[in-house]
Amino acid sequence: MRDRRRLTWLAVILLLVAACGTGTAGGPRQPGSPESTPGDPVDLVGLWTVREAAGEEPGAILRLGEGLSLWRACGHLDGSWRATGDGLFIDFVVAGSGACYHGPDSVPDWLRQAAGHRADGPDRLLVDRDGRTVARLVPGGRPKIHADTARSEGEPPVLTDVLRQMLAPAAALPEALRPASSADLVGRWVPGDRPEARGPRPPQVTFAADGDWTGSDGCNGQGGQWLAGPAGSFLAVAGPQTLIGCANVDVGGWLTAASRAGLRGDELVLLDRSGRELGRLRSG
């Protein structure tokens, strides 16, 4: 009888050790672990309660649809976003209700730092460039709609054909191109395959190491955020710009439509989601 009890306790101990070894018991999942994967970016579309975001007020709601809005007690912030199936996430806040938005300083650090997404059960994690979690998005929640805001702006977003296309997988980079890394892209680039614009300034784009980009189509100043990932993945979002007309080169349009960035010699080639070439730039 004593030997049987000893064997029973030994079996229990072995089961507990096995559970700890497989991660079924222990601390929270970490981004990049087998239990925490990028997931389908389409699943990001919806209303999310923001948690574990440093400095964010309790009950803040993030709405991801054809645009991005962050809802707080003061109102909301508005902008754009993009994401990929390999885990990239980018956003850019450019406006909002009067009480909430008073320039770029209104954007919370956690949202500014978000550069990737991970699935964590029903939740989604937003992570920074080093893979550290900056916010946990919990499904559900409804924003408080102020009297001066259309109620439709806070309704659950609809997964439209436009959104499906925006979040669809991108064609692979052609073998003739080398995937462009973040380090490759930092610096100033000018159009390399079209005549220069006849305007007050040369068309160009400058990629900063902190994720900002600034540039010009030859007539209008442009700018926003950019992000590069594995296999030439590339995302960019832009803010508003002036609409001065001239024979311009829409460099900003190339960036925001691009899903891949590759190098052929000293040329940077930007391609859209279908693999169609948008334009070429050279360092300058």
Side-chain angles (χ1 to χ4, degrees):
M1 179 66 71
R2 183 176 301 171
D3 289 343
R4 185 176 299 171
R5 289 177 179 173
R6 184 177 301 156
L7 289 171
T8 300
W9 279 109
L10 179 61
V12 171
I13 291 170
L14 289 174
L15 285 172
L16 288 173
V17 170
C20 291
T22 57
T24 56
R29 301 170 189 163
Q30 296 300 315
S33 71
E35 296 85 6
S36 178
T37 58
D40 190 336
V42 168
D43 294 336
L44 287 166
V45 176
L47 290 172
W48 303 90
T49 298
V50 180
R51 294 183 181 166
E52 300 174 22
E56 189 53 75
E57 65 182 48
I61 304 294
L62 184 66
R63 184 181 188 271
L64 297 176
E66 291 191 11
L68 171 151
S69 54
L70 177 64
W71 295 78
R72 294 164 150 178
C74 59
H76 55 92
L77 304 176
D78 296 315
S80 57
W81 70 287
R82 294 181 68 191
T84 67
D86 55 12
L88 298 186
F89 178 93
I90 193 170
D91 64 82
F92 194 46
V93 172
V94 296
S97 57
C100 272
Y101 185 80
H102 42 80
D105 290 342
S106 311
V107 184
D109 286 342
W110 67 266
L111 191 56
R112 195 191 310 273
Q113 293 166 3
H117 66 98
R118 302 287 185 270
D120 190 38
D123 299 348
R124 293 297 180 268
L125 306 177
L126 296 184
V127 301
D128 65 15
R129 291 170 184 261
D130 296 320
R132 294 185 294 258
T133 299
V134 296
R136 176 178 292 273
L137 306 181
V138 177
R142 295 298 292 267
K144 180 181 178 182
I145 310 298
H146 289 213
D148 59 351
T149 301
R151 185 160 297 276
S152 60
E153 292 189 30
E155 293 293 323
V158 176
L159 184 57
T160 63
D161 290 341
V162 171
L163 263 175
R164 287 188 183 278
Q165 183 177 5
M166 182 183 84
L167 299 171
L173 199 68
E175 291 184 3
L177 298 178
R178 175 173 66 85
S181 68
S182 296
D184 290 326
L185 292 172
V186 171
R188 186 178 186 272
W189 298 81
V190 296
D193 62 346
R194 298 189 183 187
E196 289 203 357
R198 296 185 297 275
R201 66 184 84 177
Q204 58 88 22
V205 59
T206 298
F207 296 110
D210 64 1
D212 289 339
W213 70 267
T214 55
S216 171
D217 65 357
C219 312
N220 305 281
Q222 302 172 320
Q225 297 283 314
W226 70 279
L227 194 63
S233 291
F234 178 85
L235 292 178
V237 286
Q241 66 174 52
T242 57
L243 296 174
I244 301 170
C246 72
N248 61 351
V249 180
D250 189 14
V251 178
W254 295 354
L255 298 184
T256 56
S259 293
R260 299 281 183 194
L263 294 167
R264 177 178 289 156
D266 61 355
E267 276 191 321
L268 173 62
V269 183
L270 298 172
L271 302 104
D272 69 9
R273 195 167 297 280
S274 68
R276 180 178 64 92
E277 184 175 315
L278 296 165
R280 300 187 182 198
L281 300 163
R282 55 182 171 79
S283 180

